[in-house]
Amino acid sequence: MRITCLVSILLLFAWFKTSATIPQQFSVKAGYIVDHGSKWELKEVQQQKTKPFEIGQKINLGYNRNDAVWCYFKVKNNDTTKAANVWLCFDNYHIDSLTIFDQDQVFLMGDRTKGQSTFMSTMGYPLHFYPGQERILWARLTKRTSFFDFSFNLASTSQLEAQSSKKMTWIAFFIGIAFLLLMINGILLAMTRNRLYAYYIGYSVLTVCYVVVTTNFAKHLLFPKLLLLSEIRIFSGALWYIALSYFLCCFLALKQHQPFKYKIINLLCGINLLLVLFSAILLWIYPTFDFRYFFISGYVIFMLAIVVLFWASVAHLKVERDQAIYALLAFAPQLAWGGCLILKTFEIIPYALGDSWMIFASLYEVFLFGAVLSRNYVEVYLKNTQLMQEVILEKENSLRTINHVQLRERRNIANIIHDNVGSKIAHIMHLFDMKNAKLAKQNIRELASDIRDISHKILPKALDEGALVSSLRSQIAILNAGLDDAEIELFCYDFPERIEEKWIYDLYLIALEAISNSFKHGKARLVTIEFYGYADSYHFQFTDDGCGFDVQQTGMGFGLENMEKRVGYYQGHFEISSVEEEGTVIQIVIPA
C-alpha cells in the first residue's frame, strides 16, 4: 500500500508540466479570430481584425461544432549576429487538424490527418530564422465536435525533446507496471475463478487504452495513421468508467450490503452505455450530428455515478473498513476531477483540472486496486497455509492422543491378564504338578469364566448387537457390587434398547471413563447417568456429587480431552461444567 501511494505521488509530480520558457532571442506578437462554421479562406481571414493572443493564454471555445480558430503569429529573431531555430507549439495534441501557412508552404497535422508532430508532448512546427529575421505565419485549428481549447508557446528543440522523453518514459513505465499487475491478477483469476479479478482486468485494460490515447502515446508511437483517435478517446473513457463502476460494486459487495445503491449504479451505467452506443451509431451514420446534449448528459450521469459510489464507499466503512478506505482513496482524485469538469461544463467555474489529472487518477486506481487485490490474495493464501498447518498439527495431536489411549488400554488389559489370568494359570500348573487333576479342572473352569468376564468388561459382545444400555447396566451392576459407600445410577428416557450407531463403542468407554474419574478424582458418592433419545439427536448426561474443580484454571485432563475428541469425531457436542465442592456435570449431544 505504501509503495502504491508513493508511486502515485511520483506520477502526480511528474505529470504536472512546468511552463516552457521562451528562448530569449525571440519575440512574438500573436492574435486569433474564431471562424464559426469554418467558412473562411486564408485571404478572407487576413482582412479580419484579430484579438490579442499571449503565450500561455488559453483559448476556450467550450463545446464546439465545426468551428475553426485562425491564429496570426509575427515571430522575430532579435539576435542580429546568429541564426536560430525555434518551434511554434500548441499544447492540445487532440486537435482534429492544425494547418500552418508559412509563406508558400502549408503543413498539416492532427488527429484527423495522417500528419503528426515530431514530439509526443506537443503539436509543434519548426521555424528557422536568419540573424534579425522576422516571419509571419498563420495557423488554422479545427475541432469537428467536442470541447475545444488550446494555447501556444515557443520552445527550443532541447526543451521539447526533454519533455517528450520524460513523458514517454513515464507513460511506458506506468503502463508496464499496469500490465504487470494485469498479469498477476490474470494468474489469480485462473487460480481462484473469482469474478472480481475479471472485473479488474477489464477495467484496467480500458484504463490503459484511455491513457495511451489521451497522452498522444497511441498517435505518436503506435497508430500514426489512425484517424479516429478523438472518438476512441471519448468512448474508451466512457467504457472505462462503466467498467470501474462494476468493479467497485463487486469490490464493495454492494449487491449484498447496499442493494439500493447497487441498483442506482446499475441504472446509471446502463444509461451511459446506451449513450455511448447511440452516439457511436449516429457518428457513423451522421458525422455532422450535434452531440452537445449527449456529451452534457454523459457528464451529468458520470458525476451522479461518482457521487453514489462515493456515498456507498462511506457507508461501507461500517461493513468492511479497509475495503471502504481503499475505495475512498481511489475516488478522491476522481471526485475532484469530475466535480471541476461538471462545474466547468456549465461555466460555474472558469477552469477545470486537465486531462493530466484524469490520467493520474486512472493510473492511480489501477495501481491501488491491483496492489490491494494481489495483497488480499497473498493474505488469504497465508491464512489458508496457516490453517492447513494447524489442521496438520491437530491431526498429529489426535494421532498422538489415540496412541496414548491405545497404550493405556493395552496396559490395563496387560494388568488384568497378569493379576487375574497369570496367577490362576500358575496355580493350575502347580495343581497338575501335585497330581490334583480334579481341583485343576475346577480352576480351569473358573479361569474361563474370568476370561469371559474380562472380555465383557473390555468391550461386551452385546455391543455388537447395539445393546448399549444393557451392556452398560451389566457393567454398572458389577461396579456397584464392589462399592461400599458409593453408588452408580442409570436412567433412560425414550432411549432405544438397541441402537445401530457406530459411536456406541466409544460412548460405552466414555461412560466407564466418566465413572472412573468421578470416583478416582472427584471422590464422589453418587454418579448419575442419564440417556435421552430424540428424533434428531441423542443426549447423554453424567452427574456426580464429588469435590468438583475450576474448569477455567485447571482445564481438562487427558481423559476429558480424549472424550471430547471422540465425541467431535461424530460431529457431536461435548460440554463440561463443574463447581468446587458441588460436583461435576458432563453433557454430550450426538446427532442421529
Side-chain angles (χ1 to χ4, degrees):
M1 174 55 63
R2 294 175 182 174
I3 295 175
T4 303
C5 292
L6 176 61
V7 170
S8 301
I9 291 171
L10 289 175
L11 173 62
L12 176 62
F13 282 108
W15 204 266
F16 287 142
K17 297 179 288 187
T18 57
S19 299
T21 57
I22 306 173
Q24 293 181 357
Q25 68 269 39
F26 291 98
S27 61
V28 60
K29 181 180 178 181
Y32 77 95
I33 186 170
V34 179
D35 179 8
H36 296 289
S38 300
K39 301 174 182 177
W40 296 335
E41 297 293 336
L42 178 59
K43 292 180 179 180
E44 297 175 276
V45 174
Q46 290 173 341
Q47 298 172 4
Q48 304 294 327
K49 184 178 180 180
T50 61
K51 298 179 182 179
F53 192 13
E54 301 294 335
I55 286 181
Q57 176 187 346
K58 182 73 73 173
I59 302 298
N60 189 347
L61 300 186
Y63 182 84
N64 166 74
R65 186 165 178 260
N66 291 326
D67 288 345
V69 179
W70 289 85
C71 298
Y72 160 82
F73 302 98
K74 182 187 286 187
V75 186
K76 182 178 181 180
N77 180 8
N78 295 322
D79 192 335
T80 58
T81 60
K82 294 181 180 179
N85 297 319
V86 73
W87 290 78
L88 175 62
C89 303
F90 297 85
D91 66 346
N92 187 342
Y93 35 74
H94 290 293
I95 296 170
D96 285 348
S97 68
L98 168 62
T99 308
I100 303 293
F101 299 91
D102 182 9
Q103 297 177 358
D104 296 332
Q105 295 182 352
V106 179
F107 184 80
L108 179 65
M109 56 183 158
D111 270 359
R112 291 191 177 276
T113 71
K114 294 184 178 180
Q116 66 179 70
S117 174
T118 305
F119 302 102
M120 179 179 167
S121 60
T122 188
M123 298 184 85
Y125 177 72
L127 296 171
H128 176 75
F129 287 87
Y130 296 109
Q133 182 183 5
E134 182 180 82
R135 294 172 64 177
I136 296 177
L137 301 95
W138 285 87
R140 181 177 180 270
L141 298 88
T142 63
K143 190 76 172 174
R144 176 183 293 181
T145 173
S146 182
F147 291 94
F148 187 13
D149 61 1
F150 66 93
S151 63
F152 87 97
N153 69 339
L154 298 178
S156 65
T157 302
S158 58
Q159 287 176 320
L160 296 178
E161 285 178 346
Q163 288 177 6
S164 292
S165 297
K166 181 180 178 181
K167 184 176 181 179
M168 197 179 304
T169 301
W170 277 106
I171 293 298
F173 173 69
F174 284 105
I175 289 176
I177 294 179
F179 275 111
L180 175 62
L181 292 171
L182 281 171
M183 182 182 67
I184 293 172
N185 284 277
I187 295 171
L188 297 182
L189 173 63
M191 294 172 61
T192 63
R193 304 295 180 184
N194 188 340
R195 64 176 181 175
L196 179 62
Y197 295 108
Y199 282 134
Y200 171 80
I201 291 170
Y203 120 77
S204 298
V205 169
L206 288 170
T207 300
V208 171
C209 292
Y210 177 74
V211 170
V212 165
V213 175
T214 302
T215 58
N216 201 33
F217 196 90
K219 177 72 172 178
H220 190 75
L221 295 177
L222 303 178
F223 311 106
K225 305 301 181 182
L226 188 59
L227 305 182
L228 298 174
L229 286 173
S230 294
E231 287 72 19
I232 293 173
R233 175 177 172 239
I234 295 171
F235 294 145
S236 65
L239 293 175
W240 158 74
Y241 189 75
I242 293 171
L244 173 61
S245 299
Y246 282 118
F247 166 76
L248 284 172
C249 286
C250 186
F251 183 76
L252 298 175
L254 295 187
K255 189 174 183 180
Q256 291 78 24
H257 302 300
Q258 303 180 62
F260 177 69
K261 298 186 186 74
Y262 176 77
K263 291 178 181 178
I264 293 176
I265 294 168
N266 261 332
L267 176 63
L268 294 173
C269 289
I271 294 172
N272 248 338
L273 185 59
L274 288 176
L275 287 174
V276 170
L277 293 176
F278 283 152
S279 59
I281 293 170
L282 287 173
L283 182 66
W284 180 50
I285 300 175
Y286 304 109
T288 60
F289 185 81
D290 188 355
F291 291 93
R292 182 190 309 269
Y293 299 107
F294 281 86
F295 279 108
I296 293 175
S297 300
Y299 281 131
V300 171
I301 295 170
F302 168 74
M303 190 60 192
L304 286 175
I306 290 179
V307 171
V308 175
L309 281 170
F310 190 82
W311 178 25
S313 300
V314 173
H316 199 73
L317 286 168
K318 298 178 181 178
V319 181
E320 290 178 295
R321 183 172 174 272
D322 290 344
Q323 302 291 81
I325 289 175
Y326 291 138
L328 290 172
L329 284 174
F331 263 117
Q334 191 177 98
L335 190 64
W337 180 84
C340 290
L341 179 63
I342 297 297
L343 294 174
K344 175 64 177 65
T345 301
F346 293 100
E347 299 182 354
I348 298 174
I349 61 175
Y351 298 105
L353 296 172
D355 291 334
S356 298
W357 182 271
M358 192 54 191
I359 295 166
F360 157 73
S362 59
L363 289 175
Y364 171 77
E365 287 167 353
V366 170
F367 301 148
L368 177 66
F369 288 121
V372 168
L373 292 178
S374 302
R375 194 201 67 173
N376 287 351
Y377 178 80
V378 171
E379 288 181 352
V380 170
Y381 175 78
L382 292 177
K383 287 180 181 178
N384 289 340
T385 302
Q386 183 180 0
L387 182 62
M388 289 298 298
Q389 292 175 346
E390 291 176 357
V391 169
I392 293 172
L393 182 61
E394 182 68 20
K395 288 182 178 179
E396 291 176 350
N397 291 334
S398 298
L399 290 173
R400 195 177 296 112
T401 300
I402 292 171
N403 289 335
H404 285 314
V405 171
Q406 290 177 343
L407 181 61
R408 188 185 64 178
E409 291 178 351
R410 286 176 181 177
R411 284 175 178 171
N412 290 337
I413 294 171
N415 289 334
I416 292 172
I417 293 175
H418 179 270
D419 295 339
N420 294 287
V421 179
S423 59
K424 288 189 177 182
I425 290 176
H427 180 62
I428 291 170
M429 292 178 64
H430 178 69
L431 291 174
F432 275 118
D433 291 339
M434 298 293 295
K435 308 297 183 181
N436 193 343
K438 183 179 179 180
L439 189 58
K441 289 180 179 180
Q442 182 181 348
N443 276 270
I444 288 173
R445 285 194 291 271
E446 292 177 357
L447 178 61
S449 178
D450 289 344
I451 291 174
R452 184 169 57 254
D453 290 340
I454 290 171
S455 66
H456 287 170
K457 288 179 182 179
I458 295 173
L459 207 63
K461 185 172 181 59
L463 284 177
D464 294 337
E465 300 173 359
L468 173 63
V469 175
S470 60
S471 299
L472 200 54
R473 286 189 193 279
S474 299
Q475 188 61 36
I476 288 174
I478 295 172
L479 294 174
N480 278 332
L483 297 174
D484 295 330
D485 299 328
E487 185 181 2
I488 306 168
E489 295 179 342
L490 173 62
F491 300 98
C492 296
Y493 306 95
D494 296 327
F495 198 88
E497 285 293 329
R498 296 186 181 276
I499 182 170
E500 299 296 330
E501 297 285 356
K502 294 181 179 180
W503 45 259
I504 61 173
Y505 301 98
D506 286 292
L507 195 69
Y508 176 82
L509 296 175
I510 287 172
L512 296 184
E513 182 74 23
I515 294 169
S516 175
N517 287 343
S518 296
F519 291 126
K520 182 178 179 180
H521 302 293
K523 312 299 180 186
R525 299 178 62 83
L526 176 63
V527 177
T528 303
I529 303 173
E530 298 169 279
F531 286 5
Y532 300 86
Y534 295 97
D536 58 349
S537 61
Y538 300 96
H539 291 220
F540 308 92
Q541 181 169 297
F542 304 89
T543 308
D544 68 55
D545 62 351
C547 59
F549 66 98
D550 189 338
V551 179
Q552 299 297 328
Q553 294 184 358
T554 305
M556 294 190 295
F558 177 77
L560 293 175
E561 285 185 354
N562 182 43
M563 290 183 194
E564 185 176 23
K565 282 184 170 59
R566 287 185 178 186
V567 173
Y569 179 77
Y570 299 104
Q571 289 78 46
H573 175 70
F574 179 89
E575 182 178 351
I576 182 170
S577 57
S578 182
V579 179
E580 293 183 6
E581 306 303 331
E582 293 186 16
T584 302
V585 177
I586 297 174
Q587 292 180 315
I588 296 172
V589 179
I590 298 178

